[in-house]
């Protein structure tokens, strides 16, 4: 036995041969691991909780380029910003919030929710704000990532750069993090107030306080994506005139689970689309845990039952199309011509579905013009259309989306000097959206094909982070220098990527193109993704060991655990209640627990 003597004689077989130096470490004497996470949004915050929870002897750093935590929810502050799926389905599984003010929570509340989690788990000990990664390069001999970091001084704005080294890098910044202005002639000549929706900065005010000064303003909003659908109803009652410039078409979903929402709260149908919670309802959520659990569980079950609506030609998709059409025609009855311009021929869910609460109603107000004539150019005072019409505008919002090409703003260099941007040109490839061949010890949350057409995105984020955690645990336990996905596994997954979203429609799922490769969406439902990521297929990876020993079992160490060697700690841990896997009793097998 390694680390001890044996009473058995080897004389009959000759002298024993020791092919390598005996290990001098215990099986659970885990080497120190350095993990760097890039980004402090939902993914980075989840990583900040799960890595220290599950990886012993850990050195963790989370670099965030912005001045606060929250990712897109810190950086976006535009008028009307809100979650466009039910708030109770947009929270971490283990960190519930019971006092949301609305079914579709305002952005400020989501930001506060994330800041509260950071405070609760004391994550600022790991998070470095105003620290931007400018380069990451893998060093093959050492199996480590070398990072260049730009740090901005909060008080002076001055920057300096330094180097860091990590065993593992986790990218946690997502696809919707780099906004871009539209390429419209003359945009640089416009002399009014120009914002991209994601670049709107109210400074030390709320957006409402800023907009209070716009009562006599004419405002243009370019786009018909999620941001535009929130900007229009937010600004309509607060400004003199709104022009919504719409190039494409889109389906407006019936608000997700609105009937279920009303039924669970005991509301009549007349109040089914009043999405603000009353004080009484919020108190019940806080004081009645069973009611809250049933509400959350029922909504989550419902949104996880919609995947069939994203599949081409299914009865659920056809039913959704008819339901959405009827709803849009009903709400646009005052201006029926808008429906002709807005309703598409492409299938439901070809573009990202959003209910856009209040958008269709706002379009019907007298101070809102829906403009489908293409924009020709910006002028000094406004926007000119291709038919010669000119609109004078005081403020313009470009709700025109993000750079979703997955061409990163900093260089990531893997084995053999290959750049990730080169590898991802003309389109990104990955293995299960979490790793890339040629880039060992690097894992992604919200990488290519991570978004979902239905279901909970946050559950997917949690499982992607836990996938990376499991990989680091394996590296630490088995004394691995590197873990790298095999190229043929990436190829096989790439061939699997097929879905309804390839129908002809302009969508960020296809990097803003009408036709082409799907790079944004997981090829299945959320529940499908969770099952896939739950248990990694370690046989799809290649490995290198830390120790210069050929024997793959060297990680077994000296035949004992650290607590035995030192006679410290718990040496009967397998009897702890949280470790014992108790089989269910007879009654539990016959009557499994469920939520009615």
């Amino acid at each position: 036995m390694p680390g001890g003597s044996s009473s058995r004689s080897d004389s009959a077989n000759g002298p024993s041969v020791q092919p390598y130096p005996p290990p001098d470490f215990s099986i659970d004497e885990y080497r120190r691991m350095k993990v760097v996470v890039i980004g402090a949004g939902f993914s980075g915050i989840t990583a900040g909780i799960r890595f220290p929870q599950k990886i012993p002897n850990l050195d963790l750093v989370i670099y965030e380029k912005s001045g606060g935590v929250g990712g897109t929810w810190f950086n976006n502050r535009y008028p009307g910003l809100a979650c466009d799926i039910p708030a109770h389905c947009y929270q971490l599984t283990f960190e519930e919030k019971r006092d949301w003010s609305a079914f579709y929570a305002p952005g400020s509340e989501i930001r506060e929710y994330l800041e509260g989690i950071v405070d609760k788990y004391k994550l600022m000990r790991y998070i470095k704000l105003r620290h931007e990664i400018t380069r990451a390069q893998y060093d093959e001999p050492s199996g480590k990532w070398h990072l260049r970091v730009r740090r901005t001084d909060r008080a002076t704005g001055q920057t300096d750069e330094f180097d860091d080294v990590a065993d593992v890098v986790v990218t946690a910044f997502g696809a919707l993090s780099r906004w871009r202005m539209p390429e419209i002639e003359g945009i640089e000549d416009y002399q009014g107030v120009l914002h991209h929706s994601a670049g709107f900065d109210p400074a030390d005010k709320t957006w409402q306080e800023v907009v209070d000064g716009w009562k006599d303003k004419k405002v243009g909003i370019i786009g018909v994506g999620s941001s535009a659908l929130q900007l229009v109803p937010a600004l309509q009652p607060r400004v003199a005139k709104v022009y919504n410039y719409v190039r494409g078409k889109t389906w407006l979903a019936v608000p997700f689970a609105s009937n279920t929402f009303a039924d669970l709260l005991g509301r009549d149908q007349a109040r089914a689309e009043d999405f603000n919670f009353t004080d009484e309802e919020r108190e019940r959520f806080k004081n009645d845990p069973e009611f809250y659990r049933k509400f959350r569980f029922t909504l989550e079950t419902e949104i996880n039952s919609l995947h069939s609506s994203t599949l081409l030609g299914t009865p659920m998709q056809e039913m959704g199309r008819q339901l959405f059409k009827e709803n849009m025609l009903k709400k646009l009855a005052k201006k029926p011509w808008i429906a002709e311009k807005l309703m598409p021929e492409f299938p439901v869910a070809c573009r990202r579905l959003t209910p856009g609460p209040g958008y269709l109603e706002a379009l019907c107000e007298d101070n809102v013009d829906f403009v489908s004539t293409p924009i020709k150019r910006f002028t000094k005072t406004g926007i000119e259309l291709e038919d010669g019409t000119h609109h004078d505008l005081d403020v313009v919002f470009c709700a025109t989306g993000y750079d979703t090409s997955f061409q990163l703003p900093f260089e990531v260099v893997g084995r053999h000097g290959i750049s990730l941007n080169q590898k991802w040109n003309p389109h990104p490839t990955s293995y299960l959206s979490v790793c890339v061949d040629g880039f060992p010890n690097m894992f992604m949350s919200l990488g290519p094909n991570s978004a979902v057409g239905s279901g909970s995105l946050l559950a997917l984020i949690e499982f992607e982070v836990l996938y990376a955690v499991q990989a680091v645990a394996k590296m630490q336990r088995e004394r691995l220098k590197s873990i790298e996905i095999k190229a043929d596994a990436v190829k096989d997954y790439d061939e699997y990527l097929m879905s309804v979203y390839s129908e002809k429609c302009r969508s960020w799922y296809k990097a803003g193109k009408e036709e082409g490769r799907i790079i944004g969406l997981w090829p299945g439902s959320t529940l499908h993704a969770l099952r896939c990521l739950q248990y990694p297929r370690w046989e799809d990876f290649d490995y290198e060991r830390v120790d210069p020993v050929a024997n793959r079992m060297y990680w077994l160490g000296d035949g004992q655990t650290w607590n035995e060697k030192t006679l410290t700690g718990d040496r009967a841990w397998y009897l702890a209640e949280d470790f014992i896997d108790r089989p269910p009793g007879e009654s539990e097998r016959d009557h499994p627990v469920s939520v009615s």
Side-chain angles (χ1 to χ4, degrees):
M1 175 184 289
S5 61
S6 172
S7 61
R8 181 178 174 179
S9 172
D10 293 306
S11 59
N13 299 314
S16 62
V17 177
Q18 182 65 56
Y20 52 84
D24 61 357
F25 53 85
S26 303
I27 190 171
D28 55 1
E29 194 174 332
Y30 300 125
R31 67 186 176 102
R32 191 158 188 82
M33 299 284 288
K34 171 76 173 282
V35 174
V36 165
V37 178
I38 306 174
F42 265 109
S43 297
I45 289 170
T46 302
I49 296 168
R50 291 307 194 191
F51 272 101
Q53 176 191 1
K54 296 181 178 294
I55 304 297
N57 206 15
L58 174 73
D59 185 3
L60 176 67
V61 180
I62 303 172
Y63 289 121
E64 169 55 56
K65 68 178 182 179
S66 299
V69 300
T72 190
W73 297 106
F74 176 83
N75 294 314
N76 280 264
R77 312 266 177 138
Y78 63 79
L81 173 67
C83 186
D84 59 7
I85 67 168
H88 293 79
C89 302
Y90 197 74
Q91 52 187 353
L92 298 175
T93 56
F94 57 89
E95 197 60 45
E96 60 190 27
K97 177 177 169 64
R98 299 191 178 194
D99 60 348
W100 296 111
S101 67
F103 193 56
Y104 298 107
S108 58
E109 282 188 31
I110 298 172
R111 186 166 61 251
E112 290 165 3
Y113 167 71
L114 287 166
E115 290 168 348
I117 293 173
V118 168
D119 289 343
K120 176 177 178 179
Y121 293 96
K122 298 180 173 58
L123 300 186
M124 290 309 299
R125 56 186 157 164
Y126 311 120
I127 297 172
K128 308 295 182 184
L129 299 177
R130 293 173 291 278
H131 283 62
E132 181 177 6
I133 302 296
T134 62
R135 181 180 173 85
Q137 181 158 2
Y138 183 71
D139 179 66
E140 296 187 49
S142 65
K144 295 182 184 293
W145 282 94
H146 290 248
L147 308 165
R148 189 69 174 167
V149 187
R150 180 184 297 128
R151 174 173 47 201
T152 302
D153 186 90
R154 180 179 182 180
T156 66
Q158 293 183 335
T159 63
D160 68 308
E161 295 194 358
F162 64 92
D163 297 318
D164 199 359
V165 178
D167 296 292
V168 174
V169 168
V170 179
T171 65
F173 41 77
L176 303 182
S177 59
R178 290 179 290 134
W179 55 267
R180 61 182 180 186
M181 283 292 192
E183 296 179 359
I184 299 176
E185 179 187 345
I187 192 169
E188 66 279 357
D189 299 326
Y190 176 61
Q191 296 180 354
V193 177
L194 180 66
H195 297 288
H196 189 283
S197 55
F200 176 77
D201 183 5
D204 56 350
K205 298 181 180 179
T206 65
W207 70 260
Q208 292 92 336
E209 290 170 334
V210 173
V211 173
D212 278 346
W214 295 1
K215 292 181 175 63
D216 61 345
K217 304 295 185 184
K218 297 176 183 177
V219 179
I221 299 171
I222 303 174
V224 71
S226 299
S227 299
L229 299 186
Q230 295 178 343
L231 277 161
V232 171
L235 293 178
Q236 177 271 319
R238 293 177 166 88
V239 302
K241 185 74 175 181
V242 172
Y243 295 93
N244 184 199
Y245 300 93
V246 176
R247 175 179 61 174
K249 297 186 176 186
T250 193
W251 289 108
L252 271 292
V254 174
F256 301 131
S258 58
N259 289 335
T260 302
F261 158 80
D263 290 343
L264 289 170
L265 294 176
R267 294 184 177 186
D268 57 40
Q269 289 304 307
R271 295 183 58 222
E273 291 195 25
D274 175 3
F275 295 114
N276 292 313
F277 292 118
T278 65
D279 291 340
E280 292 77 12
E281 289 164 346
R282 294 171 70 185
E283 283 301 311
R284 188 176 181 192
F285 285 138
K286 286 191 285 187
N287 298 323
D288 188 341
E290 189 57 35
F291 173 71
Y292 175 87
R293 181 173 180 271
K294 180 178 179 180
F295 186 87
R296 183 180 183 185
F297 187 93
T298 303
L299 290 177
E300 198 88 8
T301 299
E302 182 153 329
I303 68 167
N304 279 328
S305 303
L306 299 175
H307 179 65
S308 179
S309 68
T310 71
L311 302 179
L312 189 61
T314 61
M316 182 178 284
Q317 189 184 71
E318 293 302 317
M319 182 176 68
R321 182 189 185 102
Q322 187 59 35
L323 185 63
F324 298 168
K325 180 179 179 180
E326 291 174 359
N327 183 62
M328 291 176 72
L329 289 172
K330 177 183 176 181
K331 291 188 174 181
L332 291 170
K334 184 178 176 181
K335 297 181 181 179
W337 66 271
I338 295 179
E340 298 174 11
K341 300 290 186 180
L342 189 58
M343 287 194 302
E345 293 300 319
F346 56 74
V348 165
C350 184
R351 293 186 63 173
R352 183 177 184 275
L353 276 178
T354 178
Y359 174 71
L360 298 175
E361 294 87 341
L363 291 181
C364 292
E365 294 295 333
D366 293 338
N367 69 331
V368 177
D369 281 359
F370 181 90
V371 182
S372 58
T373 303
I375 294 172
K376 180 180 180 180
R377 65 188 179 101
F378 273 84
T379 68
K380 290 183 179 180
T381 59
I383 286 177
E384 180 184 337
L385 307 180
E386 287 189 354
D387 64 5
T389 303
H390 186 273
H391 299 145
D392 287 330
L393 298 169
D394 302 292
V395 181
V396 174
F397 278 93
C398 298
T400 47
Y402 296 80
D403 180 350
T404 56
S405 66
F406 283 96
Q407 289 294 293
L408 303 184
F410 61 94
E411 192 169 27
V412 179
V413 181
R415 284 196 192 276
H416 313 304
I418 300 299
S419 163
L420 188 58
N421 281 345
Q422 290 175 334
K423 189 175 183 66
W424 280 358
N425 187 15
H427 56 76
T429 57
S430 74
Y431 172 79
L432 304 181
S433 306
V434 296
C435 48
V436 185
D437 60 302
F439 294 80
N441 302 358
M442 187 183 85
F443 296 88
M444 301 177 292
S445 178
L446 296 182
N449 298 101
S450 278
V452 291
S454 64
S456 171
L457 178 64
L458 294 195
L460 179 60
I461 286 174
E462 288 189 44
F463 275 64
E464 288 182 335
V465 169
L466 285 171
Y467 195 100
V469 170
Q470 290 182 77
V472 172
K474 182 177 179 67
M475 291 180 68
Q476 192 179 53
R477 169 182 164 85
E478 298 178 24
R479 300 178 66 82
L480 300 175
K481 182 176 80 172
S482 72
I483 175 171
E484 179 184 355
I485 192 63
K486 296 176 180 177
D488 59 351
V490 174
K491 179 177 179 292
D492 287 347
Y493 180 64
D494 204 45
E495 291 176 355
Y496 180 79
L497 294 171
M498 297 178 294
S499 76
V500 63
Y501 309 102
S502 60
E503 289 295 302
K504 185 175 181 179
C505 66
R506 191 177 301 277
S507 167
W508 79 261
Y509 298 161
K510 298 190 284 284
K513 302 173 184 176
E514 282 194 348
E515 295 182 284
R517 185 183 182 83
I518 302 297
I519 64 173
L521 283 170
W522 178 268
S525 68
T526 297
L527 296 180
H528 172 266
L530 303 190
R531 289 298 192 199
C532 171
L533 296 169
Q534 188 174 10
Y535 301 110
R537 277 176 51 91
W538 298 125
E539 62 268 34
D540 289 341
F541 291 84
D542 286 324
Y543 308 93
E544 294 175 302
R545 292 186 286 277
V546 166
D547 303 293
V549 174
N551 192 304
R552 72 186 63 196
M553 305 310 295
Y554 191 72
W555 64 274
L556 291 174
D558 61 9
Q560 59 189 325
T561 65
W562 174 255
N563 288 349
E564 291 171 279
K565 180 189 290 188
T566 61
L567 294 180
T568 60
D570 188 354
R571 295 184 295 283
W573 45 267
Y574 52 88
L575 295 179
E577 190 59 39
D578 60 356
F579 182 86
I580 297 174
D581 183 7
R582 296 190 182 278
E586 197 67 36
S587 60
E588 291 172 295
R589 286 198 296 268
D590 293 342
H591 305 286
V593 176
S594 64
V595 176
S596 59

